[in-house]
Amino acid sequence: IAENEYSLITSHHMMEAVRGTIAQYVERFEELPDLAKLVLCVAVSITKAAPSSTYNMSYLLRFCSEVSRKQTNFPIKFDVFQMIMQRLFAQGLLVTDEGEVLDNLNSQNPDITLDKPVRFGLQFQETESLVSNILEELPVYGELMEYVRKNPP
């Protein structure tokens, strides 16, 4: 840049960047299978109900299975849960508080995976806005949040 030239980033530039990012998350979310959306909704519900709590994957699996049982009459099996979590992390829809992507879930021993401490952060606000309609429409998520508030991890 020459001495008299300046790069100016305007609020318009910032809004365009934000819109592009949101559109990417919306597209990723819409392409998810229903069971993956369920897992994402449960993760967001737990995080909203206990924002400062850390919990392990087995805690998340327990509630995902319970919500799945209420909606489909079938719990989520571990291998399916593991694949869904892998996909959600790979797409950036879930990250841990430290920004960890957990890209080796499929190769880990199930006991190690289930004991893995998790506390979602970073993309949480974007993800929460994607699932907010689902959380409001289905009472099971409100019930889950109420339970987690009374019984934090």
Side-chain angles (χ1 to χ4, degrees):
I1 298 179
E3 192 174 313
N4 294 334
E5 294 180 31
Y6 298 97
S7 288
L8 182 63
I9 298 176
T10 64
S11 60
H12 173 74
H13 292 121
M14 295 299 292
M15 289 305 295
E16 288 299 315
V18 168
R19 269 191 226 118
T21 302
I22 291 171
Q24 288 175 352
Y25 284 111
V26 169
E27 184 178 319
R28 290 176 193 168
F29 180 74
E30 289 174 351
E31 292 174 355
L32 291 174
D34 289 341
L35 206 50
K37 290 177 184 175
L38 179 145
V39 170
L40 194 60
C41 287
V42 169
V44 169
S45 297
I46 292 170
T47 304
K48 283 179 71 170
S52 61
S53 295
T54 299
Y55 52 91
N56 58 31
M57 291 283 196
S58 62
Y59 185 84
L60 180 59
L61 175 58
R62 183 178 91 195
F63 288 111
C64 288
S65 288
E66 186 60 34
V67 170
S68 177
R69 192 176 295 118
K70 287 182 179 183
Q71 291 184 352
T72 67
N73 292 326
F74 297 101
I76 296 177
K77 293 184 179 181
F78 175 75
D79 57 336
V80 173
F81 174 77
Q82 201 170 24
M83 289 186 325
I84 290 170
M85 291 301 292
Q86 181 68 36
R87 182 173 182 178
L88 295 175
F89 278 105
Q91 291 184 351
L93 291 167
L94 289 179
V95 292
T96 65
D97 210 29
E98 294 78 31
E100 189 177 8
V101 178
L102 301 182
D103 56 359
N104 294 321
L105 283 177
N106 286 334
S107 62
Q108 290 183 359
N109 176 322
D111 294 333
I112 294 171
T113 301
L114 288 174
D115 289 339
K116 184 89 174 158
V118 181
R119 180 172 168 240
F120 298 111
L122 297 181
Q123 270 78 20
F124 178 71
Q125 288 179 337
E126 292 88 347
T127 306
E128 180 183 17
S129 68
L130 290 174
V131 301
S132 62
N133 288 342
I134 296 171
L135 297 181
E136 291 170 9
E137 290 172 10
L138 298 174
V140 68
Y141 296 112
E143 293 165 8
L144 171 61
M145 284 188 270
E146 186 62 31
Y147 178 84
V148 171
R149 279 187 201 105
K150 290 178 181 175
N151 307 285

